[in-house]
Amino acid sequence: MQETSTKPYLLRALHEWCSDHGYTPHIVVTVDANTVVPRGHIQDGQITLNIGHLATNGLILGNEYIEFQARFGGVTEDIFVPVAAVSAIYARETGAGMGFEVMESEPYPQGDAPTAVAPETTTEAPAARKDADKVSHLKIVK
């Protein structure tokens, strides 16, 4: 039996430590093809995400993936981060935390995870893409 990495356990422990002490846990993620995050918030190939309970909905700190919903600029986004892509977790207020080696991540095995969009493959503005993907819930009433 292959031994599981300690990284997801350390992430969960530090998340709990931050929460217990009233700190805001943040993770730094190296964005790759298997990472689903708002592309407009990526800087130098990385994104920092607030994973505190007040900032997330449906947070799952799994052994292979971190999944949750968060609001960016008032828009709810589905976030999907391979644990292998996490380079650090820290408390925003104190900077206390831990850094990790970034490994190559694997695609989501079930195939039903949100799909990442490479920044260079899109030519439309993010807002235009987002509007084109939406199906209206409005009905014409006579």
Side-chain angles (χ1 to χ4, degrees), residues 15-97:
H15 180 273
E16 183 178 350
W17 176 83
C18 285
S19 299
D20 287 354
H21 289 85
Y23 299 144
T24 310
H26 281 65
I27 56 173
V28 180
V29 178
T30 300
V31 178
D32 64 12
N34 300 314
T35 307
V36 179
V37 295
R39 297 292 175 195
H41 296 274
I42 298 170
Q43 295 179 348
D44 298 324
Q46 294 187 324
I47 187 168
T48 301
L49 299 167
N50 178 346
I51 59 167
H53 293 294
L54 295 176
T56 62
N57 180 39
L59 177 66
I60 300 172
L61 295 170
N63 285 347
E64 299 294 326
Y65 307 96
I66 297 172
E67 302 176 61
F68 59 95
Q69 288 184 327
R71 294 180 65 79
F72 292 82
V75 178
T76 300
E77 300 276 353
D78 291 320
I79 307 300
F80 179 80
V81 175
V83 169
V86 176
S87 61
I89 183 170
Y90 66 94
R92 181 186 65 200
E93 294 80 1
T94 65

Side-chain angles (χ1 to χ4, degrees), residues 5-17 61 63 89 98-100:
S5 169
T6 58
K7 188 174 183 179
Y9 297 91
L10 294 169
L11 288 170
R12 286 190 291 269
L14 287 169
H15 180 273
E16 183 178 350
W17 176 83
L61 295 170
N63 285 347
I89 183 170
M98 181 178 286
F100 301 99

